[in-house]
Amino acid sequence: DSAVFNQMVDLLGTPIETCIARHNEELSSWFNTFRVIQASEVWKCHGEWVQTANPDFGPGISDRFKMASQISVDQVATATNSRAEIIDHLDNLLSDGAVLMIPSTPGPGPVCNLPAKELESFRGRALALTSVAGLGGLPQLNVPVAEVAGSPVGLGIIGSRGSDEMLLELGTRLESILAEAYVTAK
């Protein structure tokens, strides 16, 4: 609805389309950086227990713990250096009070009993989006803004370092705009 869009522009300013990733890079490479760092941290916290207790995990979780056990020190060092570059890049993008708006997920949530291969594909694409704020150490607010095929679709709003309260205020104001539009549409 153009009236809702105009209210959002009044609140946020005119949107500027930008590429979040650095030159010649895709967010999937950021996800790989996130995955290595996360797996390393998970293995440090739980690896000894996994080896001792030998728990019966489901296939996806079992595979991820196996991968985590094989992360090398060099891989962690490379990912940590990449993360530092990503942090600098995001800090530059978010200077002057700017916010990034990205989809919360690559589409509506997966349906129940989705085949494992399709679920893993959705998971990877979702984590490529959700890892942006995590890698940057930045606050992110997710706001449901629409429905597709009866499922909610959200907008992720990423703020600069320390902008948590500003994002919450922004979320409250967006909620008012969207709630009014929803009531009007009914």
Side-chain angles (χ1 to χ4, degrees):
D1 176 308
S2 63
V4 172
F5 179 78
N6 290 336
Q7 286 180 314
M8 291 178 74
V9 168
D10 288 344
L11 175 63
L12 300 167
T14 304
I16 299 170
E17 187 174 339
T18 188
C19 181
I20 297 172
R22 299 169 293 182
H23 299 291
N24 300 321
E25 187 177 51
E26 294 188 15
L27 285 182
S28 59
S29 69
W30 288 22
F31 168 58
N32 289 330
T33 296
F34 174 81
R35 188 178 56 122
V36 167
I37 292 170
Q38 181 187 52
S40 171
E41 291 171 354
V42 164
W43 191 252
K44 282 180 189 172
C45 290
H46 304 292
E48 184 179 332
W49 172 77
V50 169
Q51 289 176 320
T52 304
N54 196 23
D56 186 22
F57 292 125
I61 295 172
S62 179
D63 293 343
R64 287 190 284 280
F65 267 110
K66 181 178 180 183
M67 184 270 297
S69 73
Q70 298 169 352
I71 298 289
S72 72
V73 172
D74 288 343
Q75 287 175 300
V76 173
T78 299
T80 301
N81 289 336
S82 178
R83 182 180 187 190
E85 293 172 5
I86 289 168
I87 288 170
D88 287 343
H89 176 70
L90 287 170
D91 285 346
N92 286 329
L93 277 178
L94 295 169
S95 62
D96 300 327
V99 295
L100 287 173
M101 296 186 146
I102 62 174
S104 294
T105 62
V111 297
C112 291
N113 300 318
L114 191 67
K117 189 172 183 173
E118 290 177 47
L119 184 60
E120 189 58 29
S121 172
F122 181 88
R123 181 181 176 279
R125 290 177 296 139
L127 285 172
L129 293 169
T130 61
S131 67
V132 172
L135 278 171
L138 303 171
Q140 179 172 348
L141 179 68
N142 293 291
V143 181
V145 294
E147 281 189 10
V148 173
S151 295
V153 176
L155 179 65
I157 307 169
I158 301 172
S160 61
R161 197 166 316 289
S163 67
D164 307 55
E165 290 182 10
M166 181 276 296
L167 275 185
L168 291 172
E169 181 181 324
L170 179 60
T172 300
R173 294 172 71 188
L174 281 173
E175 178 187 31
S176 296
I177 292 169
L178 295 168
E180 182 180 316
Y182 179 76
V183 169
T184 304
K186 288 232 167 195

